[in-house]
Amino acid sequence: MSGHDWPLWEVFVRSKGGLSHRHVGSVHAPDPKLALAHARDTYTRRMEGVSLWVVKSTDIIASDPADSGPIFEPAEDKVYRHPTFYDIPDDVKHI
Amino acid sequence: MYTTELQKNVQAIETAEDLALLDAFEARVAADEFIEPKDWMPEAYRKTLVRQISQHAHSEIVGMLPEGNWITRAPSLRRKAILLAKVQDEAGHGLYLYCAAETLGTSREEMIEALHSGKAKYSTIFNYPTLTWADIAAIGWLVDGAAIMNQVPLQRTSYGPYARAMVRVCKEESFHQRQGYEAMMALASGSPEQKRMAQDALNRWWWPSLMMFGPPDENSPNTERSMRWRIKRETNDELRQKFVDITVPQAEFIGLTVPDEALAWNEAKGGYDFGEVDWEEFYAVVRGEGPVAKERIKSRRDAWENNAWVRDAAAAYEQKQRGRAAA
């Protein structure tokens, strides 16, 4: 009885010019045009955006939470990548 | 709209499950971290969430029915536009929630089938009839008011997609309650007949609204685990008390009387004492014996079946387009 749902699309909204598109949720639709129409009705009823993207959910490649250690932890011990790591005397200006 | 979790028969954690994973999960939840779809979670957590979120989604969808049939009879163009927007919001809320439930591995089709077959529950409140225009005002004020009370804490629920859906829902729900109270205010300050209509609607919707928070804490066996898992953030009785405390002054302000003789301000606890909800009635409605339960599900099924041609046409169009692109 399963398997008749329309494909799932992830919806991204640009809330105003100058900002990036941001993920807001998903919709089911048979084709890209209807996916956009459904995204508009579902996620922008109150002027939430000026631009929409829809992407088939199956086209998104996601990292595996089980691998988040090897992927993200190496950054943790590299504090020298942040400006606050460096001690500069207060008298030195504009740095 | 909101439904409290109505069927509580989830199995205990299966012993085969890795206890270390369970410990890590419990620690994350206790630290108020969010659980995301691909993270490990106990089966009981997944099942409870699927049921809770899908019941919540069904409530939004069924909630459109009692209001939808008043759109053509709204007393002015202004009220009609407002009601139309509200009903459209309820559809949106249902869609946010279905998508959140789908991230747990169920499908839209399975959930809709469960609603139509009567296997899935939805909020008991929608199995009461909407007899007059004042009922539509009362629903916005009381039912959406109770829903907000329930939903605000769920913005911090432990399951990320559910919490995010709740943030969107709560943002939109406030309009629902305010338009309802404003419509009630208009009736309460109108002709004697309009005022009677407002009072009658309050009389009929007050107790069913208190039932929306679910059974009393002592009869809500899984509350403790749901609180621990941050699927629930406040108990049924705590939320019910809060609702009474904020709603009674709102009724008084427009000159309406809450239909509860036991209602009295209790200075010591800083809240109202109120009468006992008729739990027999609540459980009867949960069992599907609500006054218009059959009618609601029939309307829902009819809407689904009578509009199947739209879905079929959309699917056929997509196939045709794909065929052309391939040619």
Side-chain angles (χ1 to χ4, degrees), chain B residues 137-204:
Chain B
I139 287 181
W141 172 32
L142 301 172
V143 175
D144 287 278
I148 292 172
M149 201 59 85
N150 263 321
Q151 288 169 162
V152 164
L154 289 175
Q155 294 178 99
R156 294 176 295 118
T157 195
S158 60
Y159 188 57
Y162 190 25
R164 290 191 287 276
M166 282 298 96
V167 170
R168 299 189 70 85
V169 168
C170 286
K171 245 195 216 162
E172 298 177 351
E173 203 87 69
S174 173
F175 136 63
H176 298 179
Q177 192 192 16
R178 289 172 68 100
Q179 66 81 32
Y181 187 69
E182 190 210 56
M184 203 66 166
M185 206 158 60
L187 290 171
S189 62
S191 66
E193 202 186 350
Q194 286 173 319
K195 187 164 181 183
R196 259 200 312 278
M197 210 162 95
Q199 182 63 53
D200 169 62
L202 173 58
N203 292 349
R204 284 180 293 107

Side-chain angles (χ1 to χ4, degrees), chain B residues 17-326:
Chain B
E17 276 178 335
D18 191 340
L19 284 172
L21 282 172
L22 180 62
D23 284 348
F25 169 87
E26 297 258 0
R28 285 185 65 194
V29 171
D32 275 333
E33 279 185 41
F34 288 102
I35 304 301
E36 294 294 341
K38 292 171 100 185
D39 295 344
W40 185 89
M41 61 187 83
E43 260 326 287
Y45 177 84
R46 185 186 297 275
K47 280 185 190 156
T48 306
L49 270 175
V50 166
R51 199 175 43 250
Q52 182 174 327
I53 300 172
S54 63
Q55 282 180 1
H56 194 162
H58 297 327
S59 301
E60 304 282 353
I61 298 301
V62 176
M64 289 193 281
L65 299 171
E67 294 187 307
N69 69 27
W70 273 94
I71 291 172
T72 53
R73 293 175 286 166
S76 68
L77 184 58
R78 179 177 180 271
R79 295 282 177 210
K80 202 187 292 277
I82 291 168
L83 187 56
L84 202 54
K86 178 179 191 298
V87 171
Q88 196 188 14
D89 273 357
E90 307 299 358
H93 297 177
L95 295 177
Y96 307 154
L97 287 159
Y98 281 131
C99 282
E102 283 168 62
T103 63
L104 291 157
T106 183
S107 71
R108 182 74 57 94
E109 193 177 22
E110 282 172 298
M111 288 186 278
I112 289 177
E113 173 55 32
L115 171 65
H116 291 182
S117 70
K119 200 177 130 213
K121 306 277 183 199
Y122 55 88
S123 181
T124 50
I125 196 84
F126 302 117
N127 288 334
Y128 291 87
T130 41
L131 305 178
T132 74
W133 170 251
D135 289 31
I136 298 305
I139 287 181
W141 172 32
L142 301 172
V143 175
D144 287 278
I148 292 172
M149 201 59 85
N150 263 321
Q151 288 169 162
V152 164
L154 289 175
Q155 294 178 99
R156 294 176 295 118
T157 195
S158 60
Y159 188 57
Y162 190 25
R164 290 191 287 276
M166 282 298 96
V167 170
R168 299 189 70 85
V169 168
C170 286
K171 245 195 216 162
E172 298 177 351
E173 203 87 69
S174 173
F175 136 63
H176 298 179
Q177 192 192 16
R178 289 172 68 100
Q179 66 81 32
Y181 187 69
E182 190 210 56
M184 203 66 166
M185 206 158 60
L187 290 171
S189 62
S191 66
E193 202 186 350
Q194 286 173 319
K195 187 164 181 183
R196 259 200 312 278
M197 210 162 95
Q199 182 63 53
D200 169 62
L202 173 58
N203 292 349
R204 284 180 293 107
W205 289 93
W206 176 254
W207 292 105
S209 298
L210 296 193
M211 292 175 197
M212 285 177 72
F213 297 96
D217 292 348
E218 68 264 26
N219 293 334
S220 185
N222 286 355
T223 286
E224 195 228 311
R225 191 183 65 185
S226 284
M227 299 273 282
R228 192 175 80 240
W229 279 349
R230 308 283 202 265
I231 293 172
K232 194 168 183 166
R233 310 268 347 205
E234 288 177 71
T235 73
N236 298 351
D237 287 333
E238 283 166 3
L239 290 166
R240 193 167 10 249
Q241 179 71 51
K242 269 195 190 175
F243 176 76
V244 171
D245 291 343
I246 67 153
T247 310
V248 169
Q250 293 170 355
E252 284 169 356
F253 186 84
I254 53 175
L256 297 180
T257 309
V258 171
D260 180 358
E261 284 174 9
L263 190 76
W265 178 254
N266 181 331
E267 191 63 50
K269 79 171 180 187
Y272 286 91
D273 290 330
F274 54 97
E276 185 70 15
V277 173
D278 181 352
W279 294 114
E280 287 303 308
E281 178 182 321
F282 170 76
Y283 288 114
V285 181
V286 169
R287 285 194 305 269
E289 296 162 24
V292 292
K294 289 196 176 70
E295 187 185 323
R296 291 280 183 258
I297 279 300
K298 184 180 181 306
S299 311
R300 171 60 202 157
R301 270 205 223 111
D302 287 350
W304 181 256
E305 283 159 18
N306 296 340
N307 292 304
W309 68 271
V310 178
R311 298 190 297 278
D312 292 344
Y317 180 76
E318 188 274 336
Q319 275 209 329
K320 196 166 121 189
Q321 293 296 103
R322 202 149 33 111
R324 276 195 190 146

